[in-house]
Each structure stands twice: as structure tokens, then as C-alpha cells.
Amino acid sequence: MRRLAVFASGSGTNFEAIVTACERGVLDAEVVLMVCDKPGAKVVERAAAHEVGAFVFAPKQYASKADYEREIVARLDAAGVELVCLAGYMRIVGDVLLGAYGGGGINKHPSPLPAFPGAHAIEQALEYGVKVFGVTIHYVDAELDGGRIIAQRAFPYEGDDIGELEAMIHAVEYPLYIETIKKLIE
């Protein structure tokens, strides 16, 4: 059984999808650590509900990014983490974490990369008039949403309702992320 860590900053719906897939045996894995950079985020409650250990930190409590990343690496190592899954973690991974887990981390993005990288991909795509949306799963590297692509799935959408579009993206994103993790750990 593989040992996973999930990094998240918000509500934790991708965390929930991953941990539930592990609990149901869809993934031969266990989420052993959740890392969150926002105390009070909903994902912290989700981790507690699933009895997953959590490292929750406020970046400003550390003198530098390297300092908090060293703490994260120590906790990943102590938990025996084999695969790092970013799931709405709103920080660019730095040299310390990449040095320890470079090539061993994956992320999901709500657009068919390389189009619309960054935190506001959905809004930017709607503003641009895109008619084909999608999800990308990629390796983590030093660039914002720049790692090598592992999987993508696209779908048409001609509306302009961001809530409706986000729901459609999640309907594609959750299973694609689980399928990708499954392939990587088998």
C-alpha cells in the first residue's frame, strides 16, 4: 500500500475524493498526511473527519519559504510519504521541496494546459471565449503549472455560468485525478 500526502489550501474537495478512493479500495494507498498553508481552511476539518494527520502552518510564521519547506519535508519523511498530490495548494513549490520530492509530486489544473495556467484559469478561459474546457494532471516543477503533462481530459461548454462550469470541471477532475494516481502507484 502506497503512502500519499495531499497538499491543499481551501475546501478540500479533491482531498476528499482522494481519501475516499483510498478508503474504498479504489486506490491501493493511504493518505497519511494532509499539508495546509491556511489555518482554518475547510480541508483541515475534512482531514480530521477521516483521521488523517495534518500539518497546518501559516507561512508568515517562518523566516523564509525554505524554512517552512524544510519542516514539510521532515514531516513527509517521518510519515513515509511516497507520492505528493497537490489539490488546490495555492503556493508555488520551492527548491527545498522540489529537491526532496522533485518528480514525485503531481498537481491538477482546471484547464487543458498549457492554456490558462495560474489561479484564475476558469475565469480567464470564460473571458477569452473558450468553447472547450478541460482538466490537466501534471508533474510539479519550479514553474507555475509548467510540469510535464501526465493526463488531460477535455469537454465542450458554450455557456457563461461559472458555477455550472466549475461543477462540470469537478465532475471530470475528480475521476481523472484518481485514475492518474492509480496508474502512478501501480
Side-chain angles (χ1 to χ4, degrees), residues 11-95:
S11 68
T13 56
N14 277 286
F15 167 83
E16 185 77 27
I18 294 167
V19 77
T20 300
C22 292
E23 291 170 351
R24 291 185 178 156
V26 174
L27 293 174
D28 185 22
E30 177 184 8
V31 177
V32 296
L33 184 64
M34 187 280 300
V35 176
C36 180
D37 64 334
K38 292 195 175 170
K42 176 77 174 167
V43 70
V44 177
E45 293 173 30
R46 290 180 190 267
H50 288 279
E51 299 180 355
V52 172
F55 172 51
V56 182
F57 68 99
K60 290 184 180 191
Q61 293 177 323
Y62 292 85
S64 69
K65 181 177 197 161
D67 286 345
Y68 71 72
E69 284 198 347
R70 277 191 281 279
E71 179 71 21
I72 292 170
V73 169
R75 290 174 184 257
L76 294 171
D77 290 347
V81 169
E82 299 167 273
L83 179 64
V84 171
C85 303
L86 278 62
Y89 183 67
M90 301 308 290
R91 297 208 166 270
I92 295 174
V93 174
D95 292 340

Side-chain angles (χ1 to χ4, degrees), residues 115-168:
F116 307 107
H120 304 288
I122 299 169
E123 294 89 344
Q124 290 170 353
L126 279 173
E127 287 173 19
Y128 201 78
V130 168
K131 303 298 179 209
V132 176
F133 290 81
V135 174
T136 301
I137 312 298
H138 61 93
Y139 286 106
V140 177
D141 70 7
E143 293 181 42
L144 175 65
D145 295 321
R148 190 169 55 87
I149 293 170
I150 306 166
Q152 289 183 308
R153 191 162 293 152
F155 60 90
Y157 179 72
E158 302 228 4
D160 61 1
D161 183 320
I162 194 162
E164 179 181 53
L165 179 56
E166 285 176 342
M168 292 173 74

